Amino acid sequence: MHSHATRLDGIPPTIFTQMSALAVRTGALNLGQGFPDSDGPASVVEAARSALAQGRNQYAPGPGTPELRAAIARHQQRHYGIELDPEREVVVTTGATEGIAAALLGLVDPGDEVAVLEPYYDSYLAMIQIAGGVRRPVTLRAPDFRLDAETLRTAITPRTKVLLLNSPHNPTGTVLTGAELQLVADVAIEHDLVVVTDEVYEHLTYSGHTHVPIATLPGMAERTLTLSSSGKSYSLTGWKIGWATGPVDLVGALLSAKQWLTFTSGSPLQPAIAHALDAEPEWPRELARSLESRRDLLCEGLAAAGLSPRIPEGTYFVTTDISALGWTDGLAFCEALPERAGVVAIPTQAFYDDVDAGRHLVRWAFCKQPDVVAEGVRRLVAAELRS
Ligand code: PMP
Ligand code: GLN
C-alpha cells in the first residue's frame, strides 16, 4: 500500500464525483453537479469539427492560439472596455480549473496566506494547500450571503498575498454589488494584494443584477488576474477551454506554472471558441434568459416543498436551508434524498472551513432542460422530506 504525498493530506475527494456517482447508482435525477444537459451553439460544434478535419491536431502554442487570444481580448473590450495585449496579457487555460491551479502555483509561496470567499469552490481548497498556502476564509453568511467589511478586514494579515474572489459566486448565487467590489478593491490596494478573480459565471446573471469585473475598478487592473471559461458561457463544460487575462507580470506568473502542468490546451477547440466569442456574442445572454425561468421554476418548487430558497442573482445554483424540515445536517439530507425523492443535490458544507456555517445548507442546480427541472420539482413536492 503506497501513501499519497503529504501535500494532499486532508483534502477530501471532490463532492461532485461523490454525488454524481450517487445519482448514477440510484438512478436519481441529478440536480447536484453543475453541468447543462444540452449542448452549446451548433455553429461552434461545427467549427470544432472543421478544425479537426483541417489538421488543427498538433500542439497549439503554449499560451493559446493567436486567434483565440485575440478573440478573448475583443470579448473583454466589448463587454467591459478592458484593453488587453493579446500577445502578453491573455493566456488560454485548460478550463478555469487549470487557471486556478496555475494562478496559485505561480503566485503563492509556502506560508503565504490566501483570503478566499467561503463557501468556496472546492478546487480552491485543494490548490491553496498544494501550493503550500494558508487559507483564510471570508464567510458569506446565510441567509443573505453578502460580503461584510469587518469579516473581510479580519481575514487580512501581513502574510496575505492573494485575495481569491469569485463573483457571480458558486454556490450561493451572490453577485457582488458595486459597493462590495469597492470594499475588496480598497482592502487590496491598502494591503498591496493580488486579486485572483474567478468570473466563470460572468454572463449568467439575472434581472436586476449585472456582473462588474473587479479589474475595471480604479487601481485594480494592475493587481488583478481574471479567470473565465467557455464551459459555462457556452454550455461546453467538457471542452475545458478557459482563459486568464491581466497585467503581464501576473499572466506571466500563471503561464510559468501552466507550461509545466499541461504546456498547452486542446488545439482544435481553440479556433471553435474563438468563433463562439466573435460570432455568437449574444448566446450567453440568451442562455441566462432561459436559465432565469428555470431558476424561478426550481425556486418555486423548493419553496412548495418546504425548503426556503435564497433566490440566486447569478450562476446556475440555488441554496436552500433544510432546517425548517427538521434536518440539521445537509450531508445526511443529501444521502437520504435519492431514496426519499429520487433527486440528488450537493451538501454545501463541503465548501466550508467553518462547517457549522454551512451544515444546514444544500445546493441545487437548475442548468437542466425545463422538463427535467419540472420533474425534479414534482418529485420534491410529492416526497416526504421531513427528517
Ligand atoms: N470556478 C467555478 C466557480 C466553477 O463553478 C467551476 C465549475 N466548473 C470552475 C471554476 C471550473 O471551470 P472549468 O470547467 O472551466 O474548469
Ligand atoms: N462547477 C461545477 C459545480 O460547481 C462542477 C465542476 C466539477 O465537477 N468539478 O457543480
Side-chain angles (χ1 to χ4, degrees), residues 78-163:
R78 189 181 329 119
H79 288 283
Y80 311 120
I82 297 173
E83 301 287 346
L84 294 164
D85 172 359
E87 297 277 310
R88 293 164 5 113
E89 296 177 323
V90 179
V91 165
V92 176
T93 59
T94 303
T97 304
E98 190 197 32
I100 293 157
L104 293 168
L105 291 171
L107 290 166
V108 173
D109 274 318
D112 284 349
E113 294 184 5
V114 179
V116 54
L117 300 187
E118 177 188 68
Y120 37 70
Y121 185 56
D122 64 353
S123 88
Y124 303 171
L125 171 145
M127 287 316 308
I128 293 169
Q129 177 167 324
I130 289 170
V134 177
R135 206 163 59 243
R136 294 282 174 217
V138 179
T139 308
L140 306 177
R141 291 205 179 269
D144 55 357
F145 302 108
R146 303 287 6 147
L147 179 61
D148 170 63
E150 190 52 35
T151 310
L152 175 62
R153 290 193 177 278
T154 311
I156 307 299
T157 79
R159 301 229 49 167
T160 311
K161 168 100 189 266
V162 170
L163 210 159

Side-chain angles (χ1 to χ4, degrees), residues 283-301:
W283 204 91
R285 287 307 301 163
E286 274 159 32
L287 172 62
R289 270 192 285 279
S290 110
L291 280 168
E292 183 157 350
S293 59
R294 292 180 255 167
R295 172 196 73 166
D296 295 342
L297 180 65
L298 182 57
C299 287
E300 281 159 24

Side-chain angles (χ1 to χ4, degrees), residues 247-260:
V248 174
D249 54 343
L250 298 181
V251 167
L254 175 144
L255 183 59
S256 302
K258 185 229 152 67
Q259 66 181 326
W260 305 119

Side-chain angles (χ1 to χ4, degrees), residues 95-97 100 121 124 166 170 198 200-201 229 232 240:
T97 304
I100 293 157
Y121 185 56
Y124 303 171
N166 170 220
N170 178 7
D198 177 344
V200 297
Y201 298 101
S229 173
K232 310 296 169 177
K240 301 294 286 184

Side-chain angles (χ1 to χ4, degrees), residues 36-86:
D37 57 357
S38 52
D39 268 350
S43 79
V44 179
V45 175
E46 192 45 48
R49 200 193 314 273
S50 91
L52 280 165
Q54 285 166 15
R56 301 290 297 264
N57 297 310
Q58 308 311 325
Y59 297 129
T65 66
E67 80 243 81
L68 179 52
R69 278 185 283 152
I72 293 164
R74 281 192 290 276
H75 171 275
Q76 295 301 94
Q77 210 295 324
R78 189 181 329 119
H79 288 283
Y80 311 120
I82 297 173
E83 301 287 346
L84 294 164
D85 172 359

Side-chain angles (χ1 to χ4, degrees), residues 14 16-17 32-35 97 121-122 170 201 232 317 363:
T14 167
F16 301 117
T17 305
Q33 190 179 18
F35 60 92
T97 304
Y121 185 56
D122 64 353
N170 178 7
Y201 298 101
K232 310 296 169 177
F317 306 112
R363 190 196 82 171

